[in-house]
Amino acid sequence: MHRSFDTIAAIATAPGRGGVGIVRVSGPHAAEVARRCLGRLPSPRQALYGPFLDARGEVIDDGIALYFPGPHSYTGEDVLELQGHGGPVVMDLLLGACLEMGCRMARAGEFTERAFLNDRMDLAQAEAVADLIDAGSAAAVRSARRSLEGGFSRQVDLILSALTELRVFVEADLDFSEEELDLLAEGDIQYRIESLLDQLATLTEQARQGNLLREGAHLVIAGRPNAGKSSLLNRLVDREAAIVTAIPGTTRDVLREHLSLDGLPLHLVDTAGLRESDDPVEQEGIRRAWAEIERADLVLLVVDATQGEGEEEGEIRRRLPPRLPVITVYNKLDRLTELPADASDVLFISARTGEGISTLREALKAQLHYSGHPEGLFTARRRHLDALACTRDHVQAANDQLIITRATELVAEELRLAQEALGEITGRVSADDLLGEIFSSFCIGK
Ligand code: GDP
């Protein structure tokens, strides 16, 4: 399927000054723009050096032009790239010339959207393009590349074809016997459904890890004032990010830091000590601390080991959302002469000396179910995880129908819904509003 559109243009390089800036043109008039702007059409995929002219024939800049005739181009359409000097005014003049020659400004992500619509890539790959550009670590780059190369899509397609086979099987049976599955077929279908559920579980786990790598985990450091929360934050990020003093209530606002734990992005939040206070500034800090805790993935509850857990920690624990995992760390281990007998399920650390910090890092990875091996992962979004969960629910429902009602048409319908949900990942079946949502988050020129 090749669709034809109007011709779009945009500055593809980042705003600001640089050695080189690129204006990209895609669509049916790209060749004509090349002829007018360069005086002739460059040979396909060969650099042509020369002056760039505006619509009146005046020279704007000198540079290199590349022409990629469709369908073997990024968008699948005819594409022209004009590489000039990377100044904002030069780029504006060049873009203005393209617009005068009949192009319109591209929307954010429109080049990649066209690549998708022209079957140059599927939706998961298109999203990987944005993830690659936004990647915050080398591990995130590698996983986005793997998705872009189709690593994720291939796995989705494998399950999709298994689903198709199963549907054919079930629906053939539907044609045979009106109401019920024959017993021989039933055993086979059951086996196939179970293996589908297994495949889905494996893919979901990989996607979850990929999503964690892309979005990171939100970690809140909580505890009463002076327990050593800011010292622990500094120790984890390995620099003096937070102010540490012996005066309780020093951290009045939330302080954010980011760190990479073997490739896993951690968004750390140091909160104001959670305690009763009459100081309005401190009260506001405490309110913000609780707001952060509401959206956290994990809480690190820091306890001053020289004092042990008391009423304050009890109160904090009672107020924590029940779903939230908590790692309790007893800090100031360097000041203890012996470990307290009643503290089994906790980690002992010293933010001051660094003792116990590597154990804490391992505990964090374990609690977040992060394998610590980003190799082999592919980038995945919440949208993909939702689609996988929905697919699993429908396959599970097909299984239940098979066992409980044994009604073939209900099994068939659940499998159809499962296939529809899974197809959303690669965009084999995608609503227009979903496409709009995905591509609008891209940068212009991509
Ligand atoms: P916060 O109020 O919970 O953020 O606590 P801070 O990080 O500001 O620390 C409070 C006090 O405890 C400061 O004087 C720190 O130097 C001290 N402190 C923090 N961690 C340790 C530790 O591991 N050992 C010792 N001996 N003192 C610590």
Side-chain angles (χ1 to χ4, degrees):
M1 161 195 64
H2 188 281
R3 309 187 191 193
S4 76
F5 298 99
D6 47 2
T7 303
I8 52 173
I11 302 169
T13 36
R17 291 162 214 275
V20 177
I22 300 177
V23 169
R24 200 182 219 185
V25 175
S26 177
H29 298 306
E32 191 194 318
V33 172
R35 279 191 206 95
R36 287 183 67 184
C37 185
L38 307 161
R40 65 188 170 105
L41 187 64
S43 307
R45 295 175 297 281
Q46 284 190 19
L48 172 70
Y49 178 76
F52 299 155
L53 311 176
D54 68 13
R56 282 165 299 285
E58 303 235 357
V59 177
I60 302 172
D61 189 13
D62 291 292
I64 285 174
L66 284 166
Y67 177 63
F68 305 89
H72 303 294
S73 67
Y74 182 70
T75 58
E77 305 173 323
D78 293 346
V79 170
L80 174 69
E81 274 187 23
L82 301 169
Q83 310 186 353
H85 293 92
V89 179
V90 179
M91 285 293 108
D92 276 348
L93 287 173
L94 205 50
L95 176 62
C98 294
L99 299 181
E100 272 189 76
M101 293 173 193
C103 302
R104 82 162 160 76
M105 278 283 280
R107 293 189 308 271
E110 201 172 359
F111 290 90
T112 309
E113 183 176 0
R114 288 187 176 194
F116 165 69
L117 293 172
N118 290 324
D119 278 344
R120 297 292 293 161
M121 57 176 78
D122 67 36
L123 207 47
Q125 288 173 307
E127 287 168 314
V129 173
D131 290 348
L132 185 61
I133 294 172
D134 291 339
S137 67
V141 166
R142 281 195 293 273
S143 67
R145 287 234 13 102
R146 213 161 283 120
S147 284
L148 186 55
E149 284 160 6
F152 186 27
S153 308
R154 271 193 297 278
Q155 308 237 34
V156 169
D157 284 344
L158 270 178
I159 301 185
L160 270 179
S161 50
L163 264 168
T164 310
E165 262 178 45
L166 190 56
R167 279 186 66 192
V168 169
F169 203 67
V170 171
E171 286 177 23
D173 196 88
L174 196 60
D175 291 337
F176 265 124
S177 62
E178 287 284 82
E179 302 255 301
E180 292 199 343
L181 289 165
D182 75 64
L183 283 172
L184 262 181
E186 194 176 303
D188 194 13
I189 293 173
Q190 178 98 47
Y191 171 76
R192 287 177 187 233
I193 288 184
E194 274 160 19
S195 111
L196 256 178
L197 285 170
D198 275 355
Q199 281 173 274
L200 275 169
T202 310
L203 188 58
T204 304
E205 179 49 29
Q206 281 174 301
R208 204 192 59 74
Q209 295 268 326
N211 182 250
L212 203 56
L213 207 58
R214 176 177 181 268
E215 293 181 0
H218 290 267
L219 189 81
V220 169
I221 306 181
R224 75 166 98 153
N226 249 14
K229 299 180 294 299
S230 303
S231 307
L232 176 57
L233 176 98
N234 288 346
R235 174 59 72 176
L236 283 171
V237 300
D238 212 12
R239 64 189 179 86
E240 302 291 304
I243 303 168
V244 175
T245 70
I247 308 158
T250 313
T251 309
R252 289 164 158 236
D253 198 353
V254 294
L255 188 90
R256 291 165 210 283
E257 279 294 327
H258 304 278
L259 86 119
S260 164
L261 195 65
D262 295 344
L264 169 68
L266 275 190
H267 312 294
L268 277 178
V269 180
D270 179 19
T271 59
L274 301 168
R275 62 165 183 179
E276 296 293 320
S277 168
D278 297 328
D279 176 351
V281 181
E282 197 180 343
Q283 276 176 356
E284 177 56 21
I286 292 169
R287 194 193 61 74
R288 291 184 190 184
W290 281 108
E292 287 296 331
I293 288 172
E294 286 299 320
R295 53 187 211 101
D297 296 306
L298 179 64
V299 167
L300 265 185
L301 180 60
V302 184
V303 179
D304 185 333
T306 61
Q307 301 183 12
E309 285 204 43
E311 194 36 49
E312 289 97 330
E313 281 78 14
E315 184 58 32
I316 294 172
R317 282 187 194 281
R318 268 191 294 283
R319 282 192 58 186
L320 287 176
R323 58 154 187 97
L324 200 58
V326 180
I327 294 181
T328 308
V329 284
Y330 274 43
N331 186 33
K332 309 191 187 179
L333 173 61
D334 55 294
R335 290 187 54 197
L336 292 187
T337 43
E338 58 180 21
L339 296 186
D342 59 341
S344 51
D345 241 7
V346 303
L347 289 174
F348 284 91
I349 63 157
S350 167
R352 177 162 292 173
T353 66
E355 205 180 340
I357 297 295
S358 57
T359 316
L360 173 59
R361 285 169 168 271
E362 291 307 313
L364 287 174
K365 285 196 286 184
Q367 186 61 255
L368 294 166
H369 306 288
Y370 178 61
S371 65
H373 300 290
E375 315 316 319
L377 289 183
F378 36 74
T379 183
R381 302 181 168 209
R382 176 118 313 268
R383 181 183 86 76
H384 304 150
L385 292 178
D386 292 346
L388 284 168
C390 187
T391 309
R392 188 215 41 231
D393 289 350
H394 286 299
V395 175
Q396 186 62 54
N399 199 28
D400 296 346
Q401 293 294 358
L402 187 68
I403 294 167
I404 301 163
T405 66
R406 301 182 60 206
T408 320
E409 62 272 58
L410 297 182
V411 177
E413 175 60 6
E414 289 298 347
L415 292 176
R416 189 186 67 76
L417 292 172
Q419 201 178 25
E420 210 172 271
L422 192 61
E424 275 194 9
I425 294 181
T426 45
R428 309 274 185 249
V429 260
S430 287
D432 279 352
D433 49 354
L434 174 68
L435 296 188
E437 198 179 303
I438 290 170
F439 289 107
S440 64
S441 66
F442 273 65
C443 41
I444 303 275
K446 195 63 223 179

